[in-house]
Amino acid sequence: MNISRRQFLDNCAKISSMVFGSCLFTNEIAEGFMKLSATERPQIIFIQSQCCTGCSISATYGNEDDFINFITNIVRLQVHPNLSFSQGHTYLKTIEETVASGPFYLVCEGSVPAGMKEACIFNDEPMYDYLHKLMKKAAAIVASGTCACYGGIPASNQNVTGAISMEAYMKRTGVNKPLIKIPGCPINPDRLMGTVAYIVATGKIPELVKGVPKKYYPDLIHNQCGRYQAFNQGHYTKNFEREKLNCLLKNGCRGPVTYSDCPTRRWNGKVSVCIESNAPCIGCAHPEFPFKTALYLEEESFKDLTWSEMKKMMEK
C-alpha cells in the first residue's frame, strides 16, 4: 500500500498518541518504520485470538528494553493487530507475503476457542482453522501471556467457548514446532523481547523449565520477596493503610506457589512490583491462574493448615 509522506507521519503521530499518550515520539516511530525495510532481521508475525490486548499494551511500555528499539533494530515486526497501518485485505496480504517469503517467528497472544470456533473469526474463517496454517510454516512459536500459555481468563469458570492454550491447540491439531511460553497477565515486556532476541541472536531456544524460559522464571516469588524477613519474623499485614512492609501471605498472596522473577525484574521502567505496591501477588504467571477459588484468599480459609496444605490450597 502506497501512502504519502504526510500520511506516513500522520500515522506515526497516531501510534505515538495511542501508545505513549502524546505525539512526542512521532519522529522516533517514523525512523523505526523506515528501518523496518531492512531485510536481514528475522520476520515476526504477531497474532491475537481470545485476549484483551493487555499483553501487547504492556510490551509497548518496555522496561529494561525499549519496544521501539526492539521492533526497529532487532526484528522485523511485519504485522501486529494494534500497530499495523494496514487493514482488511491489505493486512491479510502482508501475512501471506511474509509466510511465503521465508522463515518467520509467530507470536501468539490469547487462547484459542476450540468449543465455539466462531467466537473468534479471522480472514472470514475461525481462528481455530486459520492459526493452523500459520503454525505449520513458522520457525518457532512464542505464546505471549497467560491466556496463550495456559488458557487464562477465557478458559476460567464455565469456559463457554472451550478456550484452550496454544500448547493444547498444537497437540490437538498435530503441530510439531518449538514452543516457548511467556506467562503473565500481562506479560513483562523484558520476557517477551528478551526471549525473541535470544532466539534471533543465537538461533537456539533458551533453556526451558516446563516450557518457560528458566532465566525469567527461576524461583518462587516468595523466595525472592523483599518482605521475606517480615515473613520469617511473623509480621503479617492486618491494616493496608498503616502497614506497608509486612508480609502479605495472610492477605492471600500467591507468591509461595508462583515462579517468576518479578521481585528483581520489576515493572514500568523498574519502578515497582505488585507486592511493593502493597498488593498481594495474584499468581498471574501460574498455570492455574485465575484459579477456581477467590483471587484473594482470606486468612480464615487456611487457618490452622500446614505450610504444604496452604500451598495446595493456593493452587486451586
Side-chain angles (χ1 to χ4, degrees):
M1 180 174 125
N2 296 321
I3 60 175
S4 67
R5 181 178 180 276
R6 180 179 293 276
Q7 289 173 318
F8 173 67
L9 291 175
D10 285 344
N11 286 330
C12 292
K14 290 177 183 176
I15 290 178
S16 179
S17 297
M18 178 180 69
V19 177
F20 302 106
S22 77
C23 297
L24 187 64
F25 296 97
T26 298
N27 291 337
E28 285 81 357
I29 291 173
E31 181 183 356
F33 278 109
M34 292 296 291
K35 291 180 179 177
L36 275 174
S37 59
T39 58
E40 67 273 13
R41 285 173 279 116
Q43 302 182 103
I44 300 288
I45 292 178
F46 201 110
I47 201 160
Q48 294 172 335
S49 187
Q50 280 186 300
C51 67
C52 66
T53 317
C55 289
S56 285
I57 299 300
S58 177
T60 57
Y61 285 165
N63 196 39
E64 280 188 345
D65 304 310
D66 180 78
F67 185 72
I68 300 299
N69 179 60
F70 174 70
I71 64 173
T72 55
N73 293 316
I74 298 177
V75 300
R76 277 183 292 156
L77 181 60
Q78 300 293 47
V79 290
H80 188 294
N82 308 120
L83 300 178
S84 294
F85 292 147
S86 58
Q87 301 283 324
H89 294 298
T90 306
Y91 183 87
L92 296 171
K93 184 179 179 182
T94 304
I95 294 180
E96 293 170 0
E97 290 175 348
T98 303
V99 172
S101 64
F104 68 94
Y105 297 94
L106 181 64
V107 179
C108 302
E109 183 177 323
S111 58
V112 185
M116 185 191 295
K117 296 181 180 179
E118 295 76 13
C120 188
I121 300 294
F122 191 82
N123 194 20
D124 295 329
E125 62 180 314
M127 176 62 81
Y128 186 95
D129 300 326
Y130 188 85
L131 192 57
H132 188 252
K133 302 174 185 175
L134 292 180
M135 283 188 169
K136 283 195 305 182
K137 297 185 177 180
I141 298 161
V142 177
S144 176
T146 297
C147 294
C149 293
Y150 308 122
I153 291 176
S156 64
N157 203 358
Q158 297 180 1
N159 192 6
V160 293
T161 63
I164 58 176
S165 67
M166 292 298 162
E167 185 175 29
Y169 173 81
M170 291 168 66
K171 289 180 179 176
R172 184 176 296 195
T173 57
V175 176
N176 184 23
K177 296 283 184 175
L179 171 69
I180 306 99
K181 294 184 286 190
I182 315 290
C185 185
I187 58 159
N188 185 297
D190 293 345
R191 298 174 190 149
L192 175 63
M193 292 188 282
T195 299
V196 174
Y198 180 90
I199 297 172
V200 169
T202 66
K204 301 177 182 176
I205 302 298
E207 182 181 1
L208 304 178
V209 177
K210 296 183 179 179
V212 305
K214 183 178 180 180
K215 173 181 175 61
Y216 299 117
Y217 306 89
D219 197 358
L220 293 169
I221 288 177
H222 177 71
N223 296 342
Q224 312 163 72
C225 183
R227 301 188 181 190
Y228 193 81
Q229 185 175 359
F231 164 76
N232 278 337
Q233 296 176 343
H235 296 161
Y236 298 105
T237 297
K238 294 183 179 178
N239 186 312
F240 282 101
E241 293 182 356
R242 290 182 296 180
E243 300 165 354
K244 301 183 184 299
L245 296 175
N246 286 348
C247 178
L248 295 164
L249 178 67
K250 294 187 177 181
N251 303 99
C253 181
R254 299 193 194 248
V257 297
T258 306
Y259 282 83
S260 171
D261 64 352
C262 288
T264 54
R265 181 157 303 283
R266 305 162 72 84
W267 292 75
N268 300 323
K270 302 183 81 66
V271 170
S272 187
V273 68
C274 300
I275 293 174
E276 288 188 15
S277 299
N278 219 22
C281 169
I282 60 172
C284 74
H286 192 284
E288 296 300 322
F289 180 81
F291 306 102
K292 295 179 181 177
T293 54
L295 200 57
Y296 293 109
L297 296 173
E298 297 292 335
E299 180 179 354
E300 289 72 19
S301 64
F302 44 73
K303 194 174 183 179
D304 299 327
L305 294 180
T306 64
W307 180 243
S308 60
E309 289 172 336
M310 186 187 302
K311 292 177 70 173
K312 286 181 180 178
M313 173 172 285
M314 289 178 177
E315 293 185 293
K316 294 181 180 177

